[in-house]
Amino acid sequence: MTKMNTNCTLCLIGVVIVSLISSINGASLECITAGVDGDLATNYATCPIGYTVTSCSCGMACGSYSIQTVFGGLTRCYCHIGCPGGNPIDWTSARCCKVAENGR
């Protein structure tokens, strides 16, 4: 089972606050899902430039994850490898959001 850590909980609270403030100021929250599965799967999923991780999910019900800032401010989900029997993680997913002006 994927375990949500405190950083992600705070991140989700921040997203709700930003979303409320943004809607008042004529903006909205735009979200996408990033990740890789199958033969190309890794234990991390990185959000594209301009987006921030708001939640994570790890395949094979393997341990927990952390949200990291890497490579010039990009954020990513990092699934800590801990599968029983040494099975590799078969997918990692990040929900990525940014504040966008309405009409753009």
Side-chain angles (χ1 to χ4, degrees), residues 44-57:
Y44 61 87
T46 305
C47 291
I49 294 171
Y51 288 82
T52 301
V53 172
T54 58
S55 63
C56 302
S57 189

Side-chain angles (χ1 to χ4, degrees), residues 33-35 44-49 53 70-71 74-77 92-94 96:
T33 300
Y44 61 87
T46 305
C47 291
I49 294 171
V53 172
V70 295
F71 311 118
L74 293 176
T75 57
R76 74 178 184 182
C77 291
T92 301
S93 177
C96 310

Side-chain angles (χ1 to χ4, degrees), residues 12-99:
L12 291 174
I13 291 169
V15 167
V16 170
I17 292 169
V18 167
S19 181
L20 292 172
I21 292 170
S22 297
S23 66
I24 293 169
N25 293 321
S28 61
L29 200 58
E30 179 181 308
C31 298
I32 60 171
T33 300
V36 180
D37 61 8
D39 292 338
L40 300 175
T42 62
N43 63 322
Y44 61 87
T46 305
C47 291
I49 294 171
Y51 288 82
T52 301
V53 172
T54 58
S55 63
C56 302
S57 189
C58 305
M60 299 294 290
C62 296
S64 62
Y65 60 82
S66 59
I67 296 174
Q68 303 175 335
T69 301
V70 295
F71 311 118
L74 293 176
T75 57
R76 74 178 184 182
C77 291
Y78 179 84
C79 294
H80 302 280
I81 299 172
C83 300
N87 294 323
I89 292 175
D90 60 345
W91 57 269
T92 301
S93 177
R95 190 68 177 157
C96 310
C97 298
K98 70 176 181 177
V99 175

